[in-house]
Amino acid sequence: MTKKQIAIIGGGPAGLMAAETLSLLGHRIAVYDSMPTVARKFLLAGKSGLNITHSEDYSVFATRFGAASARLRTALDDFQPDDIRAWAEGLGTETFVGSSGRVFPKVMKASPLLRAWLARLETRDVSIMTRHRWCGFEDDGLVFETPTGRELVHHDAVLLALGGASYARLGSDAAWVSWLHDKGIDIATFQPANCGFDVTWSATFSERFAGEPLKAVTATSEVGTFPGEFVISKTGIEGSLVYTHAAALRDRLAKKGEASLIVDLAPGRDEERLARDLTRQDPKASFSNRLRKGAGIEGVKAGLLRELDDPTVLSHPEPLARLIKALPIPLLRPRPIAEAISSAGGIRWDELDERYMLKKLPGMFAAGEMIDWEAPTGGYLLTACFATGRAAARGIDSWLKAS
C-alpha cells in the first residue's frame, strides 16, 4: 500500500510528537520549520532545567487548563504525565520529581532528549525541512519560502503546529493568523500568558531593588492563594508566583481597568501575632529595626512596604500588621507578548472537530499553542503540546482511513 504524504508545519514539541505518532502508523512525514533548527523554544525552556511535566494527582492536573480543560481532557487522558516520563526514559532521559512536584530530566537539559528524539525520527521515514517558511495557500497547495526559492507542495493531509505568539524570535510569530482568517477561521486574539506586569515604581525603589527576589511569600488573586517567590524588575514584577496569577490579573485589567496582586510578606505569622510583636518594639527605634525585630522583615520586603503605603500607616502596629499580611501591588499592564513564556488565544475550539481537524478546511489539522488554551508553568504547557500533537496525529490517521 502506498504511504500517505503528510506535511507538519512547525517543528516544536506538538509537531514532532505528531510526526512520531504518524510514522508509527505507517505514514510518510515531512516536517517544515522556518528556523535553521527545530524546537528552539523547547531548547530555550531547557537551558535552566527542562520542566517536562508535573507529578501532582492527575485528577487535579487535568483541571489546570482553565476554560479549555474539558476540551483537552481526551488528549490528556491518552498521554498523561506518567506516559511522558516513560516516553522520555525510552529516549534515554531519566526524570525525577523536584520539591515542587515538577518533573525534570536528571541531566537538567533539553538538548540530550531532543538529539535522541530527532535521531529516532530519522529512522522512521520522517524528513525535517528547516529554513522552510510557510507563507500561505496557493490553489490547493501550500507555499513555502525556502533557501532555493518559493516552493509549492501538496500533501494528503496537513498538521499546523506553528505555536502561539510568544518568543517570536524563535519562530512562533503568528504570521499564519491572517491566512486562516482569509479561510474563514475564527481566531481569538493572542494575549500574553505566564507574563510579568508593569508597576509604577519610584526611581529610588527600582534602582535599589530591581533583580531582588521576594522569597517565602504567598500571593492571592481570583484564582486563589499560593506560596512561592517572585522578582522585582525595573518595570514591575515577574517570576513563577506572578505567572501563577497572570491569567486572572490580565483578564481583570482588561475588564476593570485595574488589578492588584495581594502579597502576604509573612505567611508564617498571623495578623494578631504580628500586631502584638510590633507593639512591643521601642517606638523610638527606626522603622527598619522595628520591622526587623517585630516581624522578621527587612531588605526588599521592607522596601516594598515603604514603596506602596503611607508612612503614617506604617507607624502604627495594627494597620502595619494588616498590610504585611495583605499588601496590594497595583498593576498597570501585562508585559509585552514577545516577553511572555506563552500566549493565550488562537484557533477557537468551535473551529475544530474531535479529531483536531479544521471543520472549514478538511484535511488540515491543528495542535499545540495555535489553539485557544493556556496553562500555568510547571510542565502543563509541554504536556498539552505533546498530548494535542499525538491526538491530532491520530485524528489525521482516522480521517485518511475514512477518506
Side-chain angles (χ1 to χ4, degrees):
M1 186 174 84
T2 304
K3 289 185 175 183
K4 297 292 187 178
Q5 301 280 341
I6 300 169
I8 296 175
I9 307 178
L16 294 179
M17 185 58 72
E20 179 168 4
T21 304
L22 285 162
S23 68
L24 290 171
L25 292 169
H27 301 292
R28 181 171 287 119
I29 318 301
V31 177
Y32 297 90
D33 197 279
S34 63
M35 304 301 285
T37 54
V38 297
R40 290 200 161 193
K41 191 174 177 184
F42 180 76
L43 287 173
L44 179 67
K47 273 192 172 181
S48 57
L50 180 66
N51 184 195
I52 196 169
T53 190
H54 203 288
S55 66
E56 71 181 345
D57 185 88
Y58 179 67
S59 63
V60 178
F61 180 96
T63 68
R64 300 295 194 188
F65 301 87
S69 293
R71 189 62 192 268
L72 283 167
R73 187 62 187 259
T74 300
L76 293 170
D77 285 350
D78 199 42
F79 205 48
Q80 297 182 24
D82 284 346
D83 299 319
I84 290 174
R85 295 187 70 183
W87 167 81
E89 288 174 13
L91 286 166
T93 296
E94 291 187 61
T95 59
F96 73 97
V97 179
S99 58
S100 64
R102 300 181 180 200
V103 176
F104 300 90
K106 286 188 175 180
V107 295
M108 293 298 287
K109 292 180 181 179
S111 51
L113 175 61
L114 180 61
R115 282 196 300 269
W117 195 7
L118 294 176
R120 186 159 76 182
L121 291 175
E122 284 182 14
T123 70
R124 292 184 176 173
D125 214 10
V126 175
S127 301
I128 295 180
M129 319 288 287
T130 56
R131 302 182 191 273
H132 278 60
R133 181 179 180 81
W134 183 43
C135 51
F137 301 93
E138 186 173 305
D139 299 326
D140 59 346
L142 304 171
V143 179
F144 291 88
E145 292 177 354
T146 79
T148 58
R150 286 170 63 87
E151 191 175 316
L152 179 65
V153 300
H154 298 82
H155 292 81
D156 296 299
V158 176
L159 172 65
L160 302 178
L162 287 150
S166 64
Y167 280 91
R169 62 187 176 84
L170 300 180
S172 56
D173 59 6
W176 52 269
V177 168
S178 61
W179 306 323
L180 292 190
H181 265 313
D182 291 345
K183 296 290 185 179
I185 307 300
D186 191 13
I187 299 169
T189 302
F190 278 114
Q191 303 178 78
N194 292 300
C195 60
F197 289 83
D198 286 337
V199 179
T200 307
W201 298 136
S202 66
T204 300
F205 180 82
S206 178
E207 288 170 8
R208 182 173 179 184
F209 293 111
E212 290 287 326
L214 270 87
K215 296 185 177 183
V217 298
T218 67
T220 301
S221 72
E222 285 89 338
V223 296
T225 300
F226 301 96
E229 63 181 76
F230 63 95
V231 175
I232 301 297
S233 69
K234 286 185 177 181
T235 61
I237 56 175
E238 59 186 38
S240 59
L241 188 54
V242 174
Y243 304 153
T244 299
H245 297 276
L249 296 170
R250 179 200 66 215
D251 292 348
R252 183 172 179 81
L253 278 168
K255 291 176 183 177
K256 305 287 187 180
E258 60 181 15
S260 293
L261 183 66
I262 309 301
V263 179
D264 182 347
L265 296 173
R269 305 192 197 189
D270 63 30
E271 187 179 319
E272 283 187 16
R273 179 187 167 188
L274 278 169
R276 187 169 61 247
D277 292 345
L278 288 165
T279 301
R280 290 174 178 158
Q281 304 309 306
D282 182 354
K284 296 180 181 179
S286 69
F287 174 71
S288 296
N289 279 334
R290 285 185 284 116
L291 196 59
R292 177 173 54 81
K293 292 180 180 180
I297 287 175
E298 56 189 332
V300 64
K301 289 183 179 180
L304 197 59
L305 285 166
R306 285 195 181 96
E307 178 74 2
L308 295 175
D309 215 278
D310 191 304
T312 58
V313 172
L314 300 181
S315 64
H316 296 86
E318 289 82 5
L320 176 56
R322 284 196 294 274
L323 201 62
I324 290 169
K325 294 299 292 180
L327 178 66
I329 301 179
L331 310 176
L332 288 176
R333 66 188 72 85
R335 292 295 298 163
I337 197 168
E339 299 176 13
I341 290 175
S342 59
S343 56
I347 298 169
R348 295 190 187 274
W349 286 102
D350 288 348
E351 296 288 353
L352 300 169
D353 68 13
E354 70 282 357
R355 297 169 296 190
Y356 285 79
M357 184 170 75
L358 290 160
K359 297 173 184 176
K360 295 169 185 170
L361 297 172
M364 180 164 282
F365 298 71
E369 285 193 73
M370 288 186 74
I371 305 170
D372 186 15
W373 60 271
E374 62 179 312
T377 58
Y380 306 100
L381 290 161
L382 261 181
T383 298
C385 286
F386 287 141
T388 56
R390 195 166 185 263
R394 293 188 167 190
I396 290 170
D397 181 66
S398 173
W399 180 78
L400 287 171
K401 287 176 178 175
S403 298

